[in-house]
Every structure is written in structure tokens, then in C-alpha cells.
Amino acid sequence: MADFHGHQLTEAGRNLLAKILVGNKILAYTKMALGDGQLGSTPIPSLTAVISPKVTIKVDQTPVRNSVGRWNVTTVFSNKDLENPFYFREWGVFAQDPDTQQDVLVLYANSGQTADLIPVWDGSQESTLIEQQLTCSCIVDSQITVTALIDPSQVYVTEENFSAHKNDKNNPHEVDPYQIGAETPAGAQEKADAAKAAAIAASDPKGSAAAVSSGITSGTIKAASAAAADTAAKLTTKRTIALSGGATGTATGFDGSANISIPVTALDVSKATAGTLPVARGGSGLTAAPSLLVNLASTTAAGIFTASPRPGVTGTLPVARGGTGQTTLAAARNAMGLGNTTGALPVANGGTGATSLGSITVGNSSKWGSYSIWKGTQAQYNALSSKSGTTLYFIVG
């Protein structure tokens, strides 16, 4: 690593400091120059520039007085714009002549054989990127005011300085509440007073004549909002009312300006759990389901509900009503002439009076005998040359 052993004051620099001290002017540092020149036997006080300049950098910070009373002149060097590599061997600090406005080499240092090689950064490898903060600690008469001519485009901030500035909680920029739109004590008090006045006006009708001008009713003063509610002609937003559940009806709009009727469109009788439906409305007039009485011997509807308690099905269906007049199957069979297993059902009781097919009377005298059955169309029937008396003809189609 390069060892510069500290900077030395040049003759030109000594003369500049004397001029500034006598004229009570400001010492303004301007730039630093880096080079790779070999000093050899050349005395430093005689130099007016670096021997072989490679890079010139503007001073980017106002000099700061350090703990030992010297002035730290600082800049930042980077090899991002370097065209050719070089050995960082010599380093000069310049200040401006207040009369000629020319830069004067004030301090110079040379590291000799300990110089560092500064490579060219190709933009691809971070290992070849060099960024260094260069600070020269300069001895200046205590009566001289020190500053720097800073080019804002050349200003760099070190990570250390940036972190210190970021963590400074003492408002280093002296920002006031108005600049950031923050609430001020006076502004907060003004808002609080306004809110208080509004609350008083809303809760105390005496606070505003306008608030109660429409709210005096029968000697009672009401708030404006209450008075408005008393005199509202209709709802601001119209509402819809409908029926649901056991009955449904057409949804009808209501805004409070008039009465409304909701037409019922359907009833759900499963929701009827109380009361009775009278006979006149298709019901039974009862509150509990009765045991149904069917009296087959009765000829009137009233007989269905006359017995109490209702025993169920009673009576016999008489022959006049299409029954047998009997209460048991055996008696019914006997009444029809069938007995239990034999007998014929007489014609008078809806039977044939015969016990075999051949003995059934056909017409007045004919008996069933040996008959044939013929089936065909009308055309086929008409085409028959003769018809048999013992054949049944069925015309279909």
C-alpha cells in the first residue's frame, strides 16, 4: 500500500497563504491531482504541479477542522472513467489565488516505490472497481478562513457520512412542520376550537337561531334534525315491503307519503297450526281428525258423523243398493244360490242361473253348443259366399 509520509508545503503554496493572511481573504481549496511521476532529486517546495498527472478530481466537501487543529480537505476517487492504468505515486492539493483565480499547488506528496497500481475498470468485475475517499490534513494559520470551491456534480457521499446523517435525529436540515405538512400546535388548537363550537351548536339549540328556527313546537325547542324528522313528507329513499312465509304477496314500494296494500298471491296451508277451517270454507269445522264412520245401511250423508264414538264401518249394503244384504261371505254365497262351493248365481242376482257353458240360454231359447269364431275385415266378411249359423263373426279394422 502506498506510503506518502504526509504532504509538504510548496513555495507557491507558502506565498499564497501569506497573500491570503495579509489580505484577510478566504483560502479556497479547489482540486486534487494524482499522478505516477518519480520525484527523484527534485525538491518538493519548487514544484508548481504534479510531475506526471493522470487524474484530476474536484474537492467535494467543505474542509473540516479536525481534532489536532488541521483542516481536512476531502474528495472521492474512482477508476470508473479511467482510460489507462497507472501507479498512484504522487498527490497534489490545489487552492485558488484570490487575485488571479488560478489554481496553485499548495501541498504535495510522493510515495516512491510503494505506489499502488490503479487498474481500469471494465464494468464487469467488482474486484477491479476502486472507490477511495482521499483526505489531506492541511496545516493552516488559525487566522485564515478556509473553504472549498465545490463542483456539485463531483460530490460523493461516503457510506459512513451517509449513515451518520441518516441516524441524526436532531433535524440537521432544520425542517419545520409547515414544510412537511405536519400539524402545528396553533393549527391543532384551531381545529379543536372549531370542533368544540360545532359540538355546542349541535347539542345546544340556543347556540344558533338557524338551527332551531324550524324546531319550535308547542313551546318546546328541538334540534334542527329532530324538527326535520317531525315534518318529513316522505322517506328520502323509497323502500319495498313484501310478504313471506305462510303467505306471499306482491312487493310494494313504500316512501311514507301514503298507505299501501300488499296483494297476497299464495298461501302455504302447512303453516296453519291453529284455528279451524269451517265447512263453509271447504273444511270440517273440527280441531282433530275424527274416526271415520261409514254406515252402509244409511242413505244420507248425515249418517257418516251420527254415531259417537264412531266405530268404523258398520251396517250391510242391501240388494237395492247393489249389495247382498249379508254381513258374511258364506251368507252372501248362500243368498246368491252358490252355497260355499256349489250352486248357480240366479239371473235375478246378476248371474246366468247355469252351472256350465253349454246350458247358458242365448236369446229366448238357444243354448250354447259347439260354435266357431270368425274374425276379419268388412270387405272379407262381404266376400264370404255363405255364412254359418254356428259361427260367431267378428269384423275388425
Side-chain angles (χ1 to χ4, degrees):
M1 184 174 182
D3 186 0
F4 287 95
H5 301 290
H7 286 69
Q8 294 184 38
L9 190 63
T10 66
E11 189 66 30
R14 185 178 290 105
N15 293 335
L16 177 61
L17 291 177
K19 178 191 290 190
I20 290 175
L21 182 60
V22 172
N24 194 28
K25 297 181 180 181
I26 297 175
L27 174 61
Y29 289 99
T30 57
K31 66 182 181 181
M32 294 183 184
L34 313 182
D36 61 0
Q38 296 282 358
L39 183 61
S41 60
T42 304
I44 291 179
S46 65
L47 295 175
T48 58
V50 295
I51 298 170
S52 178
K54 300 300 179 183
V55 178
T56 300
I57 315 167
K58 296 288 185 180
V59 174
D60 69 350
Q61 295 182 27
T62 301
V64 178
R65 195 83 163 176
N66 61 28
S67 60
V68 295
R70 298 184 180 185
W71 290 90
N72 288 341
V73 181
T74 303
T75 190
V76 174
F77 164 70
S78 172
N79 68 340
K80 285 184 177 180
D81 299 323
L82 195 64
E83 295 182 358
N84 298 296
F86 74 99
Y87 280 95
F88 180 19
R89 181 176 288 111
E90 55 178 341
W91 177 8
V93 180
F94 293 78
Q96 187 181 77
D97 186 321
D99 296 330
T100 66
Q101 307 300 309
Q102 299 296 314
D103 289 335
V104 176
L105 178 62
V106 178
L107 297 160
Y108 178 88
N110 195 295
S111 64
Q113 300 303 315
T114 64
D116 290 330
L117 176 63
I118 306 299
V120 175
W121 185 56
D122 61 6
S124 62
Q125 296 182 1
E126 292 294 331
S127 60
T128 60
L129 176 62
I130 296 176
E131 289 184 340
Q132 293 180 341
Q133 177 176 291
L134 303 178
T135 300
C136 178
S137 183
C138 307
I139 300 176
V140 180
D141 191 287
S142 61
Q143 298 183 40
I144 295 178
T145 302
V146 179
T147 187
L149 297 181
I150 300 175
D151 181 356
S153 66
Q154 300 295 321
V155 175
Y156 293 88
V157 179
T158 65
E159 181 178 357
E160 179 182 4
N161 291 340
F162 177 75
S163 297
H165 181 78
K166 182 180 68 174
N167 297 326
D168 188 351
K169 306 303 182 182
N170 295 319
N171 193 14
H173 296 292
E174 298 182 353
V175 178
D176 58 48
Y178 294 99
Q179 291 176 304
I180 61 175
E183 187 68 89
T184 63
Q189 185 61 51
E190 181 180 353
K191 292 180 180 178
D193 292 342
K196 179 179 179 181
I200 292 175
S203 61
D204 184 2
K206 294 183 294 182
S208 172
V212 298
S213 59
S214 63
I216 301 177
T217 304
S218 302
T220 301
I221 300 177
K222 299 182 179 180
S225 59
D230 287 345
T231 60
K234 62 181 181 179
L235 301 176
T236 302
T237 303
K238 192 173 184 178
R239 303 300 181 185
T240 299
I241 303 176
L243 298 177
S244 63
T248 56
T250 303
T252 306
F254 176 73
D255 62 5
S257 61
N259 295 332
I260 63 171
S261 296
I262 303 174
V264 176
T265 57
L267 292 174
D268 183 356
V269 296
S270 67
K271 299 294 192 298
T273 58
T276 60
L277 184 62
V279 176
R281 297 290 180 267
S284 66
L286 302 175
T287 58
S291 298
L292 181 63
L293 171 64
V294 179
N295 188 347
L296 298 179
S298 175
T299 60
T300 63
I304 296 177
F305 294 99
T306 55
S308 180
R310 298 174 176 83
V313 179
T314 63
T316 60
L317 184 62
V319 175
R321 297 289 181 266
T324 64
Q326 305 299 319
T327 58
T328 66
L329 178 59
R333 290 176 63 84
N334 288 332
M336 291 186 293
L338 298 175
N340 288 330
T341 57
T342 62
L345 183 62
V347 176
N349 291 332
T352 64
T355 59
S356 63
L357 182 61
S359 62
I360 297 175
T361 300
V362 179
N364 293 326
S365 59
S366 300
K367 299 288 185 178
W368 287 99
S370 178
Y371 282 83
S372 298
I373 297 176
W374 178 93
K375 180 179 74 172
T377 64
Q378 183 66 51
Q380 292 173 333
Y381 178 78
N382 294 336
L384 294 175
S385 57
S386 62
K387 278 75 171 177
S388 172
T390 60
T391 301
L392 297 177
Y393 294 90
F394 292 91
I395 298 174
V396 295

